[in-house]
Amino acid sequence: MGAGHAHVLYRDATSPVHRLAPEVKIAAMVLFTLAVVATPREAFWAFGGYALLVTGVAVLARVGLRWLLLRATIELPFVLFAFALPFLGAGERVQLVGLSLSVDGLYGGWNILAKGTLGVLASLLLAGTTTTRDLILGLDRLRCPEILTQIATFMLRYLDVLVGEARRMRVARVSRGDDPRFLWQLRGFAAGVGALFLRAFERGERVYLAMLSRGYSGRMPAVWQGAGAASAGQWLAAATVPLAAVFIAATAVVLT
């Protein structure tokens, strides 16, 4: 995982959030998301509180709201579905600007839109302040199942290698006059995908056996485990946002 392997979402900056240990940020994000999901959809004020928390973390992390909103468009299909629910829902209906809308559909659409957006923004803040290597390291420190960290490590480490291999195979195919672009030419494309899969499988087997021969046991090296591990102060600092979210969620449940 040399050179940190910063992904496309990572924003290189110096901020209190960037300096937090990765396991702290992962745990905080998961707890915040669970609090948001547990909030009754009728508690509109609670989602405003969550939005303020996300905004505060974004300011602290020096991540622009424009950057967040642009990348949050990944949830656009769910947004379209949420807007369709008031028209497709059953049950009691209300008239709004001349349209007959389902009450349950309105609540359902709002529920998907609000919770989905907050979850995406929280995930983007995590990705924007944590490198790929640190994400894997944080999951390992949180004792995530070994098989998951192994898969993620190999995928992130060799994704660029596989993309380069696929590009070279395509150049070789095109140079021989085969450039499948239409439905009836899918056979050549499928053959290329199959060949790439076999090459990736064989490469993975060789790399894994080489790692085992060098003492790999399924966990990150001990030198990584100890370096930069979260302190008690970092856990307390990072706990402020998820604990505030839990308080908001509990209050919303009681009042609703």
Side-chain angles (χ1 to χ4, degrees):
M1 308 287 287
H5 278 263
H7 48 76
V8 293
L9 293 177
Y10 178 71
R11 293 176 62 83
D12 191 11
T14 302
S15 75
V17 181
H18 283 77
R19 289 192 292 269
L20 287 174
E23 63 269 28
V24 168
K25 290 184 279 188
I26 294 172
M29 188 274 291
V30 171
L31 186 56
F32 173 82
T33 304
L34 291 176
V36 171
V37 171
T39 304
R41 61 186 185 181
E42 298 83 2
F44 300 107
W45 63 269
F47 297 100
Y50 297 140
L52 288 177
L53 290 176
V54 170
T55 303
V57 174
V59 171
L60 195 62
R62 299 176 186 174
V63 175
L65 291 179
R66 182 173 178 271
W67 182 90
L68 278 175
L69 295 177
L70 283 175
R71 280 145 186 84
T73 53
I74 191 174
E75 66 164 343
L76 189 58
F78 300 98
V79 172
L80 296 177
F81 177 70
F83 277 106
L85 280 180
F87 299 96
L88 303 176
E92 181 185 354
R93 307 189 76 82
V94 294
Q95 294 294 323
L96 187 64
V97 294
L99 299 174
S100 177
L101 304 176
S102 166
V103 174
D104 285 340
L106 286 170
Y107 276 121
W110 159 254
N111 194 49
I112 293 174
L113 183 62
K115 295 181 179 180
T117 300
L118 289 168
V120 169
L121 292 177
S123 301
L124 285 172
L125 283 175
L126 174 64
T129 58
T130 315
T131 63
T132 300
R133 172 192 178 276
D134 286 342
L135 284 172
I136 302 299
L137 182 57
L139 290 172
D140 199 65
R141 286 176 179 167
L142 292 172
R143 313 310 290 177
C144 183
E146 293 182 9
I147 187 65
L148 295 182
T149 56
Q150 288 184 44
I151 291 173
T153 301
F154 279 104
M155 180 188 72
L156 295 172
R157 176 64 182 85
Y158 290 101
L159 185 61
D160 291 339
V161 176
L162 291 178
V163 171
E165 186 77 20
R167 188 179 295 114
R168 288 190 295 272
M169 289 174 62
R170 183 182 182 280
V171 170
R173 189 174 65 244
V174 172
S175 67
R176 290 167 174 79
D178 181 26
D179 188 15
R181 294 176 179 272
F182 303 101
L183 187 61
W184 55 86
Q185 296 176 311
L186 282 179
R187 181 178 178 181
F189 176 78
V193 171
L196 180 62
F197 172 78
L198 291 176
R199 292 188 184 186
F201 182 81
E202 292 172 353
R203 184 192 296 270
E205 284 289 313
R206 291 195 301 271
V207 170
Y208 183 65
L209 291 175
M211 292 172 66
L212 289 179
S213 68
R214 289 164 174 80
Y216 180 68
S217 61
R219 287 288 179 190
M220 294 294 183
V223 64
W224 285 15
Q225 290 284 356
S231 63
Q234 287 187 327
W235 280 107
L236 289 174
T240 54
V241 171
L243 288 180
V246 169
F247 175 77
I248 292 174
T251 306
V253 170
V254 171
L255 296 179
T256 302

